[in-house]
Amino acid sequence: MIPYINEITFYSLAAIVIILAILVIESKKIMHAALYLGALLVTIGEIYFVLHAEFLGVIQFVVYAGGITIVMLFALMMATPEDEQLRFRWRIQNLVLVLIVIFLSVSFFATYTSISVSDIPLFTSTVLNAFASYVFTQYSVLILILTILLFSVLLSSTHLAGRREE
Amino acid sequence: MVSLFNFIMLSLVLLGIGIYGISTRRNAIRMLMSVELILNAASINFVAFTAYLYPDIFTGWLFVLTIIAIAGAEAAIGMALFLSAFRIYNSAELDKLHLLRESKDEEEEEG
């Protein structure tokens, strides 16, 4: 299957990914870096969409861009010294950021809707059924291992971050 | 026509930026973010290879699901470690965390 992508969309997505990655490393305030990381993860989710992996794109949006970024932002809000915290001000950078988001959304949906709707296997039962039967029959041991891993992470992170009574 | 090569180059650049971030930054949270960049570079490779070479097999998707779960676990553990270290040292710079000490009182007694 050929991915739903033309060159202009690919190069704009790739440029946005690279610029956001550099900003994650180089931005001065750590809160800005966390927000740039969230935008980067959303853009990578869009790359999954054009590569025929719609299910993974949704998982990327919900778990990665939603959950992990929020965990990072909460930890930063709890543990950043007062003078480094973000305060919202209207600046020209905010406007540029809004324009970039609008451009990105329009280009993405233009690519995605230029093909006929019947070609899109988005949440058709065949793809999800095949993937689910693949995961839960051949690789069910992997899911069990991931469950144990996440449960132990839950317990240990509660133990590590909890305040000890002395 | 966008080929598989373009996606591999994108993931290579992302991997390079992640390695650069890990090796140059000393802030714990920023190093965790660099690890996330590296994991995402690997995920792009898996999804691109699945889409171009083996579109009927879901093994690449399965690896990406595993990567997302591991990244969530890593972020949770990293943030918990960071919070407990911040409580003791009041800083997130890894160069200042050179002691495996429990509380601030012992440090004050010695110093």
Side-chain angles (χ1 to χ4, degrees), chain A residues 7 11 24-27 40-41 48 60 64 76 79 134-135 139 156 161, chain B residues 1 6 20 25 29-30 36-37 40 43 51 59 61-62 71 77 86-87:
Chain A
E7 277 140 351
Y11 286 118
V24 167
I25 305 293
E26 294 290 338
S27 64
L40 172 84
L41 295 174
Y48 292 169
Q60 172 97 2
Y64 227 136
L76 283 174
Y134 189 70
V135 167
Y139 288 95
S156 54
Chain B
M1 181 65 211
N6 299 63
Y20 168 75
R25 303 291 137 181
I29 292 189
R30 218 175 282 244
E36 304 279 341
L37 292 188
N40 271 292
S43 303
T59 316
W61 289 23
L62 199 69
I77 288 286
F86 187 85
R87 213 171 276 150

PDB file of all heavy atoms in Angstrom, chain A residues 7 11 24-27 40-41 48 60 64 76 79 134-135 139 156 161, chain B residues 1 6 20 25 29-30 36-37 40 43 51 59 61-62 71 77 86-87:
ATOM      1  N   GLU A   7       4.844  14.812  -1.536  1.00  0.00           N
ATOM      2  CA  GLU A   7       6.152  15.272  -1.080  1.00  0.00           C
ATOM      3  C   GLU A   7       6.065  16.517  -0.213  1.00  0.00           C
ATOM      4  O   GLU A   7       6.774  16.643   0.782  1.00  0.00           O
ATOM      5  CB  GLU A   7       7.047  15.536  -2.286  1.00  0.00           C
ATOM      6  CG  GLU A   7       7.700  14.276  -2.781  1.00  0.00           C
ATOM      7  CD  GLU A   7       7.737  14.229  -4.279  1.00  0.00           C
ATOM      8  OE1 GLU A   7       7.109  15.098  -4.907  1.00  0.00           O
ATOM      9  OE2 GLU A   7       8.378  13.329  -4.825  1.00  0.00           O
ATOM     10  N   TYR A  11       7.582  16.722   3.467  1.00  0.00           N
ATOM     11  CA  TYR A  11       8.705  17.582   3.854  1.00  0.00           C
ATOM     12  C   TYR A  11       8.290  18.605   4.893  1.00  0.00           C
ATOM     13  O   TYR A  11       9.085  18.945   5.775  1.00  0.00           O
ATOM     14  CB  TYR A  11       9.328  18.246   2.622  1.00  0.00           C
ATOM     15  CG  TYR A  11      10.141  17.267   1.818  1.00  0.00           C
ATOM     16  CD1 TYR A  11       9.812  16.944   0.518  1.00  0.00           C
ATOM     17  CD2 TYR A  11      11.231  16.630   2.404  1.00  0.00           C
ATOM     18  CE1 TYR A  11      10.547  16.020  -0.189  1.00  0.00           C
ATOM     19  CE2 TYR A  11      11.964  15.703   1.691  1.00  0.00           C
ATOM     20  CZ  TYR A  11      11.622  15.400   0.406  1.00  0.00           C
ATOM     21  OH  TYR A  11      12.352  14.476  -0.280  1.00  0.00           O
ATOM     22  N   VAL A  24      13.089  21.199  21.587  1.00  0.00           N
ATOM     23  CA  VAL A  24      13.011  20.438  22.839  1.00  0.00           C
ATOM     24  C   VAL A  24      14.363  20.437  23.529  1.00  0.00           C
ATOM     25  O   VAL A  24      14.469  20.597  24.749  1.00  0.00           O
ATOM     26  CB  VAL A  24      12.526  19.000  22.565  1.00  0.00           C
ATOM     27  CG1 VAL A  24      12.746  18.114  23.767  1.00  0.00           C
ATOM     28  CG2 VAL A  24      11.078  18.993  22.205  1.00  0.00           C
ATOM     29  N   ILE A  25      15.434  20.285  22.739  1.00  0.00           N
ATOM     30  CA  ILE A  25      16.761  20.224  23.350  1.00  0.00           C
ATOM     31  C   ILE A  25      17.241  21.617  23.737  1.00  0.00           C
ATOM     32  O   ILE A  25      17.839  21.810  24.789  1.00  0.00           O
ATOM     33  CB  ILE A  25      17.761  19.585  22.372  1.00  0.00           C
ATOM     34  CG1 ILE A  25      17.270  18.230  21.924  1.00  0.00           C
ATOM     35  CG2 ILE A  25      19.118  19.441  23.011  1.00  0.00           C
ATOM     36  CD1 ILE A  25      17.229  17.206  22.970  1.00  0.00           C
ATOM     37  N   GLU A  26      16.969  22.626  22.883  1.00  0.00           N
ATOM     38  CA  GLU A  26      17.666  23.889  23.034  1.00  0.00           C
ATOM     39  C   GLU A  26      16.874  24.992  23.729  1.00  0.00           C
ATOM     40  O   GLU A  26      17.454  26.022  24.038  1.00  0.00           O
ATOM     41  CB  GLU A  26      18.087  24.411  21.651  1.00  0.00           C
ATOM     42  CG  GLU A  26      19.127  23.555  20.961  1.00  0.00           C
ATOM     43  CD  GLU A  26      20.472  23.649  21.630  1.00  0.00           C
ATOM     44  OE1 GLU A  26      20.705  24.643  22.325  1.00  0.00           O
ATOM     45  OE2 GLU A  26      21.271  22.717  21.466  1.00  0.00           O
ATOM     46  N   SER A  27      15.568  24.817  23.935  1.00  0.00           N
ATOM     47  CA  SER A  27      14.806  25.935  24.507  1.00  0.00           C
ATOM     48  C   SER A  27      15.239  26.180  25.954  1.00  0.00           C
ATOM     49  O   SER A  27      15.608  25.260  26.670  1.00  0.00           O
ATOM     50  CB  SER A  27      13.323  25.647  24.450  1.00  0.00           C
ATOM     51  OG  SER A  27      13.033  24.548  25.250  1.00  0.00           O
ATOM     52  N   LEU A  40       5.588  17.814  19.248  1.00  0.00           N
ATOM     53  CA  LEU A  40       6.361  16.852  18.456  1.00  0.00           C
ATOM     54  C   LEU A  40       5.675  15.500  18.414  1.00  0.00           C
ATOM     55  O   LEU A  40       5.580  14.859  17.361  1.00  0.00           O
ATOM     56  CB  LEU A  40       7.755  16.722  19.065  1.00  0.00           C
ATOM     57  CG  LEU A  40       8.633  15.637  18.494  1.00  0.00           C
ATOM     58  CD1 LEU A  40       9.316  16.154  17.273  1.00  0.00           C
ATOM     59  CD2 LEU A  40       9.637  15.176  19.479  1.00  0.00           C
ATOM     60  N   LEU A  41       5.140  15.061  19.562  1.00  0.00           N
ATOM     61  CA  LEU A  41       4.494  13.751  19.592  1.00  0.00           C
ATOM     62  C   LEU A  41       3.222  13.757  18.755  1.00  0.00           C
ATOM     63  O   LEU A  41       2.916  12.769  18.080  1.00  0.00           O
ATOM     64  CB  LEU A  41       4.194  13.363  21.038  1.00  0.00           C
ATOM     65  CG  LEU A  41       5.442  13.159  21.887  1.00  0.00           C
ATOM     66  CD1 LEU A  41       5.079  12.926  23.327  1.00  0.00           C
ATOM     67  CD2 LEU A  41       6.230  12.009  21.372  1.00  0.00           C
ATOM     68  N   TYR A  48       2.161   8.712  11.552  1.00  0.00           N
ATOM     69  CA  TYR A  48       1.571   7.369  11.608  1.00  0.00           C
ATOM     70  C   TYR A  48       0.289   7.308  10.791  1.00  0.00           C
ATOM     71  O   TYR A  48       0.022   6.307  10.128  1.00  0.00           O
ATOM     72  CB  TYR A  48       1.236   6.968  13.040  1.00  0.00           C
ATOM     73  CG  TYR A  48       2.407   6.756  13.936  1.00  0.00           C
ATOM     74  CD1 TYR A  48       2.255   6.609  15.301  1.00  0.00           C
ATOM     75  CD2 TYR A  48       3.685   6.684  13.432  1.00  0.00           C
ATOM     76  CE1 TYR A  48       3.317   6.419  16.130  1.00  0.00           C
ATOM     77  CE2 TYR A  48       4.754   6.494  14.251  1.00  0.00           C
ATOM     78  CZ  TYR A  48       4.562   6.366  15.606  1.00  0.00           C
ATOM     79  OH  TYR A  48       5.624   6.183  16.424  1.00  0.00           O
ATOM     80  N   GLN A  60      -1.031   7.053  19.858  1.00  0.00           N
ATOM     81  CA  GLN A  60       0.022   8.050  20.075  1.00  0.00           C
ATOM     82  C   GLN A  60      -0.569   9.350  20.618  1.00  0.00           C
ATOM     83  O   GLN A  60      -0.033   9.949  21.548  1.00  0.00           O
ATOM     84  CB  GLN A  60       0.752   8.303  18.758  1.00  0.00           C
ATOM     85  CG  GLN A  60       1.740   9.429  18.777  1.00  0.00           C
ATOM     86  CD  GLN A  60       3.143   8.944  19.011  1.00  0.00           C
ATOM     87  OE1 GLN A  60       3.374   7.771  19.118  1.00  0.00           O
ATOM     88  NE2 GLN A  60       4.073   9.878  19.102  1.00  0.00           N
ATOM     89  N   TYR A  64       0.559   8.901  24.402  1.00  0.00           N
ATOM     90  CA  TYR A  64       1.856   9.569  24.391  1.00  0.00           C
ATOM     91  C   TYR A  64       1.681  11.088  24.546  1.00  0.00           C
ATOM     92  O   TYR A  64       2.118  11.681  25.537  1.00  0.00           O
ATOM     93  CB  TYR A  64       2.545   9.275  23.062  1.00  0.00           C
ATOM     94  CG  TYR A  64       3.982   8.862  23.187  1.00  0.00           C
ATOM     95  CD1 TYR A  64       4.499   7.807  22.472  1.00  0.00           C
ATOM     96  CD2 TYR A  64       4.827   9.556  24.022  1.00  0.00           C
ATOM     97  CE1 TYR A  64       5.802   7.443  22.573  1.00  0.00           C
ATOM     98  CE2 TYR A  64       6.132   9.188  24.125  1.00  0.00           C
ATOM     99  CZ  TYR A  64       6.618   8.132  23.394  1.00  0.00           C
ATOM    100  OH  TYR A  64       7.919   7.776  23.491  1.00  0.00           O
ATOM    101  N   LEU A  76       6.875  18.878  36.532  1.00  0.00           N
ATOM    102  CA  LEU A  76       7.557  20.169  36.455  1.00  0.00           C
ATOM    103  C   LEU A  76       6.858  21.215  37.304  1.00  0.00           C
ATOM    104  O   LEU A  76       7.505  22.027  37.975  1.00  0.00           O
ATOM    105  CB  LEU A  76       7.604  20.638  35.004  1.00  0.00           C
ATOM    106  CG  LEU A  76       8.648  19.947  34.164  1.00  0.00           C
ATOM    107  CD1 LEU A  76       8.512  20.374  32.734  1.00  0.00           C
ATOM    108  CD2 LEU A  76      10.006  20.314  34.675  1.00  0.00           C
ATOM    109  N   ALA A  79       7.730  20.714  40.912  1.00  0.00           N
ATOM    110  CA  ALA A  79       9.124  20.751  41.340  1.00  0.00           C
ATOM    111  C   ALA A  79       9.951  21.837  40.689  1.00  0.00           C
ATOM    112  O   ALA A  79      11.165  21.755  40.701  1.00  0.00           O
ATOM    113  CB  ALA A  79       9.774  19.398  41.074  1.00  0.00           C
ATOM    114  N   TYR A 134      -4.362 -10.856  16.211  1.00  0.00           N
ATOM    115  CA  TYR A 134      -2.917 -11.071  16.140  1.00  0.00           C
ATOM    116  C   TYR A 134      -2.274 -10.866  17.506  1.00  0.00           C
ATOM    117  O   TYR A 134      -1.462 -11.661  17.966  1.00  0.00           O
ATOM    118  CB  TYR A 134      -2.361 -10.070  15.134  1.00  0.00           C
ATOM    119  CG  TYR A 134      -0.931 -10.263  14.753  1.00  0.00           C
ATOM    120  CD1 TYR A 134      -0.545 -11.338  13.985  1.00  0.00           C
ATOM    121  CD2 TYR A 134       0.022  -9.339  15.137  1.00  0.00           C
ATOM    122  CE1 TYR A 134       0.764 -11.496  13.619  1.00  0.00           C
ATOM    123  CE2 TYR A 134       1.324  -9.492  14.768  1.00  0.00           C
ATOM    124  CZ  TYR A 134       1.689 -10.576  14.007  1.00  0.00           C
ATOM    125  OH  TYR A 134       2.991 -10.735  13.646  1.00  0.00           O
ATOM    126  N   VAL A 135      -2.694  -9.765  18.193  1.00  0.00           N
ATOM    127  CA  VAL A 135      -2.073  -9.447  19.479  1.00  0.00           C
ATOM    128  C   VAL A 135      -2.482 -10.462  20.530  1.00  0.00           C
ATOM    129  O   VAL A 135      -1.643 -10.985  21.273  1.00  0.00           O
ATOM    130  CB  VAL A 135      -2.458  -8.022  19.917  1.00  0.00           C
ATOM    131  CG1 VAL A 135      -2.098  -7.797  21.354  1.00  0.00           C
ATOM    132  CG2 VAL A 135      -1.775  -7.019  19.051  1.00  0.00           C
ATOM    133  N   TYR A 139       0.600 -13.228  20.397  1.00  0.00           N
ATOM    134  CA  TYR A 139       1.523 -12.482  21.255  1.00  0.00           C
ATOM    135  C   TYR A 139       0.907 -12.144  22.596  1.00  0.00           C
ATOM    136  O   TYR A 139       1.197 -11.105  23.172  1.00  0.00           O
ATOM    137  CB  TYR A 139       1.986 -11.211  20.547  1.00  0.00           C
ATOM    138  CG  TYR A 139       2.938 -11.492  19.433  1.00  0.00           C
ATOM    139  CD1 TYR A 139       2.487 -11.618  18.130  1.00  0.00           C
ATOM    140  CD2 TYR A 139       4.283 -11.672  19.688  1.00  0.00           C
ATOM    141  CE1 TYR A 139       3.358 -11.906  17.112  1.00  0.00           C
ATOM    142  CE2 TYR A 139       5.152 -11.964  18.672  1.00  0.00           C
ATOM    143  CZ  TYR A 139       4.689 -12.079  17.387  1.00  0.00           C
ATOM    144  OH  TYR A 139       5.553 -12.362  16.383  1.00  0.00           O
ATOM    145  N   SER A 156       5.994   1.042  42.155  1.00  0.00           N
ATOM    146  CA  SER A 156       7.287   1.608  42.522  1.00  0.00           C
ATOM    147  C   SER A 156       7.290   3.126  42.413  1.00  0.00           C
ATOM    148  O   SER A 156       7.930   3.801  43.229  1.00  0.00           O
ATOM    149  CB  SER A 156       8.385   1.007  41.660  1.00  0.00           C
ATOM    150  OG  SER A 156       8.050   1.160  40.321  1.00  0.00           O
ATOM    151  N   ALA A 161       7.737   8.409  44.849  1.00  0.00           N
ATOM    152  CA  ALA A 161       7.340   9.808  44.920  1.00  0.00           C
ATOM    153  C   ALA A 161       6.572  10.118  46.188  1.00  0.00           C
ATOM    154  O   ALA A 161       6.395  11.287  46.521  1.00  0.00           O
ATOM    155  CB  ALA A 161       6.495  10.161  43.701  1.00  0.00           C
TER     156      ALA A 161
ATOM    157  N   MET B   1       7.095  11.251  -5.290  1.00  0.00           N
ATOM    158  CA  MET B   1       6.836   9.993  -4.574  1.00  0.00           C
ATOM    159  C   MET B   1       7.734   9.905  -3.345  1.00  0.00           C
ATOM    160  O   MET B   1       8.951   9.953  -3.465  1.00  0.00           O
ATOM    161  CB  MET B   1       7.131   8.842  -5.542  1.00  0.00           C
ATOM    162  CG  MET B   1       6.880   7.472  -4.968  1.00  0.00           C
ATOM    163  SD  MET B   1       5.164   7.227  -4.603  1.00  0.00           S
ATOM    164  CE  MET B   1       5.267   6.120  -3.229  1.00  0.00           C
ATOM    165  N   ASN B   6      13.095   8.299   2.701  1.00  0.00           N
ATOM    166  CA  ASN B   6      12.826   9.575   3.358  1.00  0.00           C
ATOM    167  C   ASN B   6      12.477   9.370   4.833  1.00  0.00           C
ATOM    168  O   ASN B   6      12.958  10.103   5.700  1.00  0.00           O
ATOM    169  CB  ASN B   6      11.677  10.275   2.660  1.00  0.00           C
ATOM    170  CG  ASN B   6      11.980  10.579   1.223  1.00  0.00           C
ATOM    171  OD1 ASN B   6      12.178   9.669   0.440  1.00  0.00           O
ATOM    172  ND2 ASN B   6      12.037  11.824   0.866  1.00  0.00           N
ATOM    173  N   TYR B  20      22.391  13.699  20.787  1.00  0.00           N
ATOM    174  CA  TYR B  20      23.024  14.984  21.125  1.00  0.00           C
ATOM    175  C   TYR B  20      22.465  15.532  22.432  1.00  0.00           C
ATOM    176  O   TYR B  20      23.201  16.000  23.308  1.00  0.00           O
ATOM    177  CB  TYR B  20      22.784  15.968  19.981  1.00  0.00           C
ATOM    178  CG  TYR B  20      23.125  17.385  20.305  1.00  0.00           C
ATOM    179  CD1 TYR B  20      24.451  17.789  20.368  1.00  0.00           C
ATOM    180  CD2 TYR B  20      22.130  18.312  20.564  1.00  0.00           C
ATOM    181  CE1 TYR B  20      24.764  19.087  20.680  1.00  0.00           C
ATOM    182  CE2 TYR B  20      22.439  19.612  20.872  1.00  0.00           C
ATOM    183  CZ  TYR B  20      23.758  19.995  20.933  1.00  0.00           C
ATOM    184  OH  TYR B  20      24.064  21.279  21.250  1.00  0.00           O
ATOM    185  N   ARG B  25      23.060  17.709  27.601  1.00  0.00           N
ATOM    186  CA  ARG B  25      22.269  18.347  28.657  1.00  0.00           C
ATOM    187  C   ARG B  25      22.500  17.641  29.989  1.00  0.00           C
ATOM    188  O   ARG B  25      22.628  16.425  30.031  1.00  0.00           O
ATOM    189  CB  ARG B  25      20.787  18.304  28.322  1.00  0.00           C
ATOM    190  CG  ARG B  25      20.425  18.925  27.025  1.00  0.00           C
ATOM    191  CD  ARG B  25      20.594  20.399  27.067  1.00  0.00           C
ATOM    192  NE  ARG B  25      21.234  20.803  25.830  1.00  0.00           N
ATOM    193  CZ  ARG B  25      21.557  22.038  25.525  1.00  0.00           C
ATOM    194  NH1 ARG B  25      21.315  23.007  26.364  1.00  0.00           N
ATOM    195  NH2 ARG B  25      22.134  22.329  24.394  1.00  0.00           N
ATOM    196  N   ILE B  29      15.230  16.049  33.468  1.00  0.00           N
ATOM    197  CA  ILE B  29      14.009  15.979  32.673  1.00  0.00           C
ATOM    198  C   ILE B  29      14.330  16.110  31.198  1.00  0.00           C
ATOM    199  O   ILE B  29      13.739  15.445  30.352  1.00  0.00           O
ATOM    200  CB  ILE B  29      13.041  17.077  33.140  1.00  0.00           C
ATOM    201  CG1 ILE B  29      12.591  16.733  34.534  1.00  0.00           C
ATOM    202  CG2 ILE B  29      11.870  17.181  32.238  1.00  0.00           C
ATOM    203  CD1 ILE B  29      11.513  17.592  35.018  1.00  0.00           C
ATOM    204  N   ARG B  30      15.312  16.949  30.877  1.00  0.00           N
ATOM    205  CA  ARG B  30      15.636  17.106  29.463  1.00  0.00           C
ATOM    206  C   ARG B  30      16.298  15.840  28.915  1.00  0.00           C
ATOM    207  O   ARG B  30      16.114  15.493  27.752  1.00  0.00           O
ATOM    208  CB  ARG B  30      16.527  18.326  29.263  1.00  0.00           C
ATOM    209  CG  ARG B  30      16.150  19.039  27.995  1.00  0.00           C
ATOM    210  CD  ARG B  30      16.919  20.283  27.856  1.00  0.00           C
ATOM    211  NE  ARG B  30      16.400  21.353  28.687  1.00  0.00           N
ATOM    212  CZ  ARG B  30      15.899  22.454  28.180  1.00  0.00           C
ATOM    213  NH1 ARG B  30      15.782  22.583  26.888  1.00  0.00           N
ATOM    214  NH2 ARG B  30      15.495  23.416  28.964  1.00  0.00           N
ATOM    215  N   GLU B  36      12.846  10.097  24.944  1.00  0.00           N
ATOM    216  CA  GLU B  36      11.579   9.997  24.210  1.00  0.00           C
ATOM    217  C   GLU B  36      11.799  10.228  22.715  1.00  0.00           C
ATOM    218  O   GLU B  36      11.187   9.563  21.875  1.00  0.00           O
ATOM    219  CB  GLU B  36      10.581  11.030  24.728  1.00  0.00           C
ATOM    220  CG  GLU B  36      10.302  10.973  26.208  1.00  0.00           C
ATOM    221  CD  GLU B  36       9.317   9.902  26.552  1.00  0.00           C
ATOM    222  OE1 GLU B  36       8.604   9.460  25.655  1.00  0.00           O
ATOM    223  OE2 GLU B  36       9.305   9.497  27.719  1.00  0.00           O
ATOM    224  N   LEU B  37      12.683  11.175  22.375  1.00  0.00           N
ATOM    225  CA  LEU B  37      12.973  11.414  20.951  1.00  0.00           C
ATOM    226  C   LEU B  37      13.538  10.161  20.297  1.00  0.00           C
ATOM    227  O   LEU B  37      13.148   9.780  19.186  1.00  0.00           O
ATOM    228  CB  LEU B  37      13.979  12.556  20.786  1.00  0.00           C
ATOM    229  CG  LEU B  37      13.562  13.967  21.137  1.00  0.00           C
ATOM    230  CD1 LEU B  37      14.643  14.922  20.699  1.00  0.00           C
ATOM    231  CD2 LEU B  37      12.294  14.318  20.446  1.00  0.00           C
ATOM    232  N   ASN B  40      10.891   7.577  19.729  1.00  0.00           N
ATOM    233  CA  ASN B  40      10.006   7.922  18.623  1.00  0.00           C
ATOM    234  C   ASN B  40      10.676   7.692  17.280  1.00  0.00           C
ATOM    235  O   ASN B  40      10.013   7.329  16.311  1.00  0.00           O
ATOM    236  CB  ASN B  40       9.553   9.364  18.751  1.00  0.00           C
ATOM    237  CG  ASN B  40       8.307   9.457  19.565  1.00  0.00           C
ATOM    238  OD1 ASN B  40       7.268   9.010  19.124  1.00  0.00           O
ATOM    239  ND2 ASN B  40       8.404   9.976  20.758  1.00  0.00           N
ATOM    240  N   SER B  43      10.169   4.179  16.581  1.00  0.00           N
ATOM    241  CA  SER B  43       8.777   3.881  16.217  1.00  0.00           C
ATOM    242  C   SER B  43       8.492   4.256  14.771  1.00  0.00           C
ATOM    243  O   SER B  43       7.806   3.505  14.065  1.00  0.00           O
ATOM    244  CB  SER B  43       7.828   4.657  17.121  1.00  0.00           C
ATOM    245  OG  SER B  43       8.062   4.361  18.446  1.00  0.00           O
ATOM    246  N   ALA B  51       4.557  -0.274   6.659  1.00  0.00           N
ATOM    247  CA  ALA B  51       3.707   0.263   5.601  1.00  0.00           C
ATOM    248  C   ALA B  51       4.278  -0.021   4.221  1.00  0.00           C
ATOM    249  O   ALA B  51       3.533  -0.259   3.277  1.00  0.00           O
ATOM    250  CB  ALA B  51       3.523   1.751   5.793  1.00  0.00           C
ATOM    251  N   THR B  59       3.439  -6.950  12.823  1.00  0.00           N
ATOM    252  CA  THR B  59       4.506  -7.054  13.825  1.00  0.00           C
ATOM    253  C   THR B  59       5.097  -5.692  14.172  1.00  0.00           C
ATOM    254  O   THR B  59       5.393  -5.413  15.331  1.00  0.00           O
ATOM    255  CB  THR B  59       5.617  -7.975  13.306  1.00  0.00           C
ATOM    256  OG1 THR B  59       5.008  -9.111  12.722  1.00  0.00           O
ATOM    257  CG2 THR B  59       6.509  -8.406  14.417  1.00  0.00           C
ATOM    258  N   TRP B  61       3.550  -2.806  14.173  1.00  0.00           N
ATOM    259  CA  TRP B  61       2.608  -2.128  15.069  1.00  0.00           C
ATOM    260  C   TRP B  61       2.769  -2.627  16.502  1.00  0.00           C
ATOM    261  O   TRP B  61       2.704  -1.854  17.451  1.00  0.00           O
ATOM    262  CB  TRP B  61       1.187  -2.389  14.619  1.00  0.00           C
ATOM    263  CG  TRP B  61       0.764  -1.726  13.373  1.00  0.00           C
ATOM    264  CD1 TRP B  61       1.555  -1.279  12.363  1.00  0.00           C
ATOM    265  CD2 TRP B  61      -0.569  -1.421  13.004  1.00  0.00           C
ATOM    266  NE1 TRP B  61       0.789  -0.734  11.391  1.00  0.00           N
ATOM    267  CE2 TRP B  61      -0.509  -0.811  11.751  1.00  0.00           C
ATOM    268  CE3 TRP B  61      -1.801  -1.628  13.610  1.00  0.00           C
ATOM    269  CZ2 TRP B  61      -1.651  -0.379  11.090  1.00  0.00           C
ATOM    270  CZ3 TRP B  61      -2.933  -1.206  12.949  1.00  0.00           C
ATOM    271  CH2 TRP B  61      -2.857  -0.588  11.710  1.00  0.00           C
ATOM    272  N   LEU B  62       2.984  -3.947  16.606  1.00  0.00           N
ATOM    273  CA  LEU B  62       3.108  -4.538  17.940  1.00  0.00           C
ATOM    274  C   LEU B  62       4.320  -3.970  18.666  1.00  0.00           C
ATOM    275  O   LEU B  62       4.255  -3.635  19.856  1.00  0.00           O
ATOM    276  CB  LEU B  62       3.237  -6.040  17.779  1.00  0.00           C
ATOM    277  CG  LEU B  62       2.932  -6.863  18.992  1.00  0.00           C
ATOM    278  CD1 LEU B  62       1.456  -6.774  19.261  1.00  0.00           C
ATOM    279  CD2 LEU B  62       3.318  -8.279  18.736  1.00  0.00           C
ATOM    280  N   ALA B  71       7.740   3.557  27.117  1.00  0.00           N
ATOM    281  CA  ALA B  71       7.991   4.986  27.288  1.00  0.00           C
ATOM    282  C   ALA B  71       7.145   5.548  28.427  1.00  0.00           C
ATOM    283  O   ALA B  71       7.628   6.389  29.204  1.00  0.00           O
ATOM    284  CB  ALA B  71       7.689   5.726  25.996  1.00  0.00           C
ATOM    285  N   ILE B  77       8.543   6.414  36.077  1.00  0.00           N
ATOM    286  CA  ILE B  77       9.637   6.152  37.016  1.00  0.00           C
ATOM    287  C   ILE B  77      10.598   7.335  37.063  1.00  0.00           C
ATOM    288  O   ILE B  77      11.057   7.763  38.129  1.00  0.00           O
ATOM    289  CB  ILE B  77      10.383   4.872  36.604  1.00  0.00           C
ATOM    290  CG1 ILE B  77       9.519   3.661  36.903  1.00  0.00           C
ATOM    291  CG2 ILE B  77      11.680   4.750  37.330  1.00  0.00           C
ATOM    292  CD1 ILE B  77       9.428   3.336  38.338  1.00  0.00           C
ATOM    293  N   PHE B  86      14.492  15.948  43.786  1.00  0.00           N
ATOM    294  CA  PHE B  86      14.289  17.394  43.915  1.00  0.00           C
ATOM    295  C   PHE B  86      13.967  17.775  45.354  1.00  0.00           C
ATOM    296  O   PHE B  86      14.336  18.846  45.823  1.00  0.00           O
ATOM    297  CB  PHE B  86      13.142  17.817  42.997  1.00  0.00           C
ATOM    298  CG  PHE B  86      12.938  19.289  42.919  1.00  0.00           C
ATOM    299  CD1 PHE B  86      13.679  20.052  42.034  1.00  0.00           C
ATOM    300  CD2 PHE B  86      12.019  19.913  43.735  1.00  0.00           C
ATOM    301  CE1 PHE B  86      13.498  21.408  41.966  1.00  0.00           C
ATOM    302  CE2 PHE B  86      11.836  21.267  43.667  1.00  0.00           C
ATOM    303  CZ  PHE B  86      12.579  22.020  42.783  1.00  0.00           C
ATOM    304  N   ARG B  87      13.261  16.840  46.059  1.00  0.00           N
ATOM    305  CA  ARG B  87      12.887  17.135  47.435  1.00  0.00           C
ATOM    306  C   ARG B  87      14.124  17.248  48.323  1.00  0.00           C
ATOM    307  O   ARG B  87      14.145  18.006  49.279  1.00  0.00           O
ATOM    308  CB  ARG B  87      11.970  16.016  47.931  1.00  0.00           C
ATOM    309  CG  ARG B  87      10.937  16.479  48.888  1.00  0.00           C
ATOM    310  CD  ARG B  87       9.963  15.372  49.139  1.00  0.00           C
ATOM    311  NE  ARG B  87       8.922  15.306  48.129  1.00  0.00           N
ATOM    312  CZ  ARG B  87       8.316  14.178  47.760  1.00  0.00           C
ATOM    313  NH1 ARG B  87       8.692  13.034  48.287  1.00  0.00           N
ATOM    314  NH2 ARG B  87       7.363  14.203  46.868  1.00  0.00           N
TER     315      ARG B  87
END
